[in-house]
Structure formats: structure tokens, C-alpha cells
Amino acid sequence: MVRRIDVTGAGGVRLAAWEFGDPPKGDPPRSDPPKGEALAGDAPEGAPTRQEPSGPATTPGVLLLHGLMGRAAHWASTARWLSERHRAVALDQRGHGRSEKPPRAAFTREAYVEDAEAALEQLGLGPAVVVGHAMGALTGWQLAAKRPDLVSGLVICDMRASALGAASQREWGDWFRSWPLPFATLADVRKWFGEDDPWVERPNPARGAFYAEVMQETPDGWRPVFDPEQMLKSRETWVYDAHWEELTQVRCPTLVVRGLDGELGRAEAQEMVRVLPRGEYAEVADAGHLVHYDQPEAWRSAIEPFLESVLGA
């Protein structure tokens, strides 16, 4: 099962955390069910229940952080097998999923890191292994550098440490404007992002399914649950800067994972491993940027030995 737990992030922003597996005993659910927008594939399993944060973790904890435009449910496959032996929690980050999207909220690197810090503390999850994809991975290593007491291990999935630059930000703005909104059906969402999107080099059904999960039905059709302008604002806080120095400050064991067809090149990934004090490297064949979503079984094979070495089997 999966249950929702509300967390208060930086600046009072309400965040939705999703815990997979049986809830701890003595942690009764609140009477009110989760409220919010109707999302495609809303809960990974069953009807979630909103609950108060539980006390300190009695089993090793794992915090899962999605990337830009993602949501906690994208970790469902990973969280299910993790929850067999560990306490697995996925966070909808600010502006994403079921978490709040205040128009005037901060979308800075500091805010995202403070949100993850708050989640670990309020959930009693730390010290935990943080598994992050893309932007979530950057949040993970910035948190590990800032609060080594909260992070016992780190998995960085397909996130570059180099600056991407102004051209990249302009391309993303153009890409958002190219979306044929609203989509008439979820089938149209899957087809456009999986086949018709000019950013798609070859048909990719997994990519279409990924974006279908972050759409909500509105009176005129299907639109993203997030605000594209907030996504661009979030992105601009890290695309102009390199983050190599922060990697050198991460003292916990760290696994850098890349998809062979992803955005993180092999040379850069191996350099990241080199500068990390305790870095390791893994790659997943036949996977693009959405490594854990493209190839869930190969992803598990790549990270499970590392997690067992850090968390214990």
C-alpha cells in the first residue's frame, strides 16, 4: 500500500510525501482523505490515506527525489521493492505532483534542499540513502554536502555537474511553448511525448507514459499538473552554474548512474565519480534520461548492490 504524509517545507509550503509499504504501528490515519487535483495514475496502489509524520525510522530509510516535471509516483516500481526491506518514501517536490504550487513561492536551489531536509527530519527518516533523478539528484548531493548527518548514502541518476548554459534554458522555453495544449485524451499525451515530440529521436512508449502521469483533466482537456513557468524558474537556478565543488563535499558513499542514451555522458559521469570522495559508477543499457522508468529491472540490478552495501541486506 501507499500512504500520504504531509510535510511542511521551506517557507511553509505544504509538501506531499508518499510512503510505500505497511505503515508503522501506532500511527493512526487522519480522518480526511487526500485532496487535490485529479491526476492520471494518481496513487501507485490503492487509495492513499493522509497521515501525520511518524517517529524515527526503525528500518533503514530511503528518500526518493524525482526530477524536474516529475512526481513521486514515477518511483513506484523502485519504491515497491525497496519497501520489502527498507522504509521507502518518495517526495512530491514543491511545484510538482500533489505538493503546493504557490505563485510567489521560492523555486531556488536552497528551497528545494531545505524541503528535502525538512522531509527527512519530519518523517524521522534520516540518516537515509537519498536516491535522486536529474534535478532531484542535484538536490540530493547538495543536501548531502550540507547535512551529512542526514544522508548515509546517495544515488545520482543521470544528472550533470557541468553548467548547461543560457542556450539550454532558451531551448526548454521553446519546447514548453511547442506543446499542443490542451490534449484531448491521455492517449494523445502518450502519442505526442512518445512519438511526435520533436525532442524524441525514436518512438519511446515509456516517455509517453511518463508524461501521461503528470497530466490532469481540466474542462477543456488534459494539461500538466505543474506550471511550466515555475519549471523554468526552478531550472534557471541551476543550469547556469556548475556543481563540481559541491560534489567534493559529499562524504557518504555515492553511486553515479547513467543511461547509455541519457543526458549524462560517460566521460562526465566518470569524472564525477573521480571527484567524489567515495564515488562509484554504474550504467544502464538501452536506457535514456528516464533510466528508472525506461528500464526498471536493469535499474534495480544497477543500484541494488550499492544500496545493500550501505543499508545492509
Side-chain angles (χ1 to χ4, degrees), residues 86-106:
H86 312 298
R87 188 177 173 209
V89 177
L91 181 68
D92 276 335
Q93 296 174 79
R94 60 178 51 218
H96 297 75
R98 288 292 190 102
S99 289
E100 283 189 319
K101 307 162 183 68
R104 295 179 177 82

Side-chain angles (χ1 to χ4, degrees), residues 17 19 102 108 122 129 136 151 164 169 187-188 201 219 245 297 309:
E19 181 166 3
T108 62
Q122 293 172 35
V129 170
V151 184
L164 301 181
Q169 189 72 349
D188 291 332
E201 294 183 359
E245 183 176 353
E297 291 304 318
S309 71

Side-chain angles (χ1 to χ4, degrees), residues 52-69:
E52 299 288 356
S54 57
T58 56
T59 55
V62 182
L63 179 66
L64 299 149
L65 298 176
H66 60 74
L68 190 72
M69 299 181 294

Side-chain angles (χ1 to χ4, degrees), residues 81 85-86 129 300 303-313:
W81 61 260
R85 288 182 290 179
H86 312 298
V129 170
R300 177 174 180 172
I303 71 169
E304 193 168 28
F306 173 82
L307 294 175
E308 290 182 350
S309 71
V310 175
L311 293 168

Side-chain angles (χ1 to χ4, degrees), residues 68 74 133-134 157-158 204 206-211 259 261-263 286-296 299:
L68 190 72
H74 286 142
H133 173 245
C157 178
D158 216 64
N204 185 346
R207 187 175 187 270
F210 183 94
Y211 282 98
D261 298 319
E263 296 178 7
D286 300 320
H289 178 58
L290 307 175
V291 183
H292 59 298
Y293 208 82
D294 280 348
Q295 300 292 339
W299 159 253

Side-chain angles (χ1 to χ4, degrees), residues 144-158:
K146 177 186 178 183
R147 290 291 306 273
D149 58 309
L150 288 179
V151 184
S152 60
L154 178 66
V155 177
I156 295 171
C157 178
D158 216 64

Side-chain angles (χ1 to χ4, degrees), residues 160-177:
R160 299 182 61 184
S162 299
L164 301 181
S168 172
Q169 189 72 349
R170 288 193 297 271
E171 289 171 2
W172 272 70
D174 292 342
W175 179 57
F176 277 131
R177 287 187 288 272

